[in-house]
Amino acid sequence: MMKRRLEKLNEMGVPTEFHLYKNLGHGFALGTGTTAEGWEKQAVKFWQQQR
């Protein structure tokens, strides 16, 4: 389902970025001590590039 959503957004010219973190579902907060640790820094960088 997410793949289709990303494809549609890309077709509309909406910049997207998707990360799948091993052993984690949605809603892992800051991900401290997990494979997602630091995700918020990546998100901010992506958002800044969209200016």
Side-chain angles (χ1 to χ4, degrees), residues 4-34:
R4 183 170 179 226
R5 187 175 298 162
L6 291 168
E7 289 171 352
K8 290 293 183 185
L9 287 168
N10 283 321
E11 286 173 12
M12 295 186 305
V14 177
T16 61
E17 189 170 307
F18 178 77
H19 299 267
L20 184 62
Y21 298 102
K22 187 176 180 178
N23 299 322
L24 292 175
H26 189 277
F28 45 77
L30 293 178
T32 304
T34 73

Side-chain angles (χ1 to χ4, degrees), residues 13-17 42-51:
V14 177
T16 61
E17 189 170 307
Q42 293 174 318
V44 169
K45 184 178 176 182
F46 175 78
W47 295 329
Q48 289 173 331
Q49 293 170 342
Q50 305 317 308
R51 293 182 187 185

